[in-house]
Structures are given as C-alpha cells and as structure tokens.
Amino acid sequence: AVYPRPRQAGVHVPGGRAMSGADIANEVAAALAEAGAETGAGVAYVCTLRRANASDPTTPWDAEEDGAGTPGDTELTCLKTKRHVRDQSGMLTGQVETVLLIDATVIEPLKSDTIAPGVAKADVTADTAFLDIARVEATEPGGVAVMYKVVLAD
C-alpha cells in the first residue's frame, strides 16, 4: 500500500489516523514474523534472549530472575541474515557478520545479554548454545525503536 507523505509528526494512513511509534513497531514485528514464516518452515523464526542477573554480572550462570536460580529468558521474533563488513574506505574486508533483526515490542537487547537464534523459549535446555552479542543497533525513527539489529560476536 502507498501512504501519503506525512504532513505533521507520525505517518498518516488512509482515514486520517496517524500511526504512533508503537503502531509501527507492531507492524515491523508482524512483518518479521511473516517473513520468517514465508521463507522458513511455515512458522515465524524465533530466538531466545537470556538476560543475566544484574546484581552480579561476573557470574551470569548464577543469574536469577524468578528466585529459583534460573536466568531470565525471553522469546523474540527475529530474522537471521549475514552482511559483509566494509572498512572506512568502503572496501570489503572479507569478514561476514551474522545479524539478527529483532522486533522491538518485547524487550531491548543489551550487549551483556546472550541469545540462542532459532530456539524457542520452550525448547531451551541445559545444552542450548547461547551466543554473545557484539553490538546492538536500534532502528528508531523519531526516537521510537521499531526494530533492533543484533550483531553476533564471532
């Protein structure tokens, strides 16, 4: 659909109602889920984000969210992609980064979190490999996050 250009803050849609940042974030989340379902096994691609206990970041294996000794896991809709790294002059470096495009409607990923791409929260076991996050890039037009790009550490 083609929408008219905004005249004031927000994106105007037919009917005159402006979409808020939260509305746009929900649209992006739905698009990520649809893209994952259409290009994958018919279901949205998900990942599980693990957040350690902030009271003692030196021992994340002892993290507690619920008081029972378990870390805080959150399931997120995402897409997994690769991108080629370029240096400051624009030349390809030969490095390839794995990037997860994550919806911004649930939780803001932090560099201190770990993530298990392709693993639903219900499928997490003691053997699940959680990967480190190299950096998080927010896509936030107008100051409202609508998507996060999570670059995985090597």
Side-chain angles (χ1 to χ4, degrees):
V2 176
Y3 299 113
R5 295 184 67 113
R7 286 175 236 139
Q8 296 179 348
V11 176
H12 295 272
V13 295
R17 187 177 84 70
M19 291 180 72
S20 69
D23 292 337
I24 296 169
N26 286 327
E27 290 282 330
V28 170
L32 290 172
E34 183 178 355
E38 293 297 324
T39 59
V43 294
Y45 188 77
V46 296
C47 58
T48 299
L49 181 109
R50 178 164 282 177
R51 180 154 297 165
N53 183 357
S55 66
D56 189 0
T58 61
T59 57
W61 50 87
D62 291 333
E64 291 188 34
E65 179 181 81
D66 60 6
T70 56
D73 290 347
T74 304
E75 185 173 295
L76 302 167
T77 302
C78 67
L79 286 179
K80 184 177 177 181
T81 188
K82 303 267 185 188
R83 82 173 157 203
H84 297 274
V85 179
R86 295 181 181 270
D87 64 17
Q88 291 180 346
S89 67
M91 298 293 294
L92 290 172
T93 64
Q95 294 177 313
V96 178
E97 294 178 323
T98 301
V99 181
L100 300 174
L101 306 177
I102 296 179
D103 81 84
T105 61
V106 180
I107 191 172
E108 179 178 358
L110 304 173
K111 188 177 175 194
S112 58
D113 296 333
T114 55
I115 197 159
V119 180
K121 182 178 176 180
D123 297 332
V124 171
T125 67
D127 296 327
T128 300
F130 280 84
L131 307 175
D132 291 330
I133 295 173
R135 67 182 181 279
V136 177
E137 303 167 4
T139 302
E140 44 189 358
V144 177
V146 297
M147 180 178 67
Y148 296 106
K149 296 175 189 171
V150 172
V151 180
L152 300 180
D154 292 337

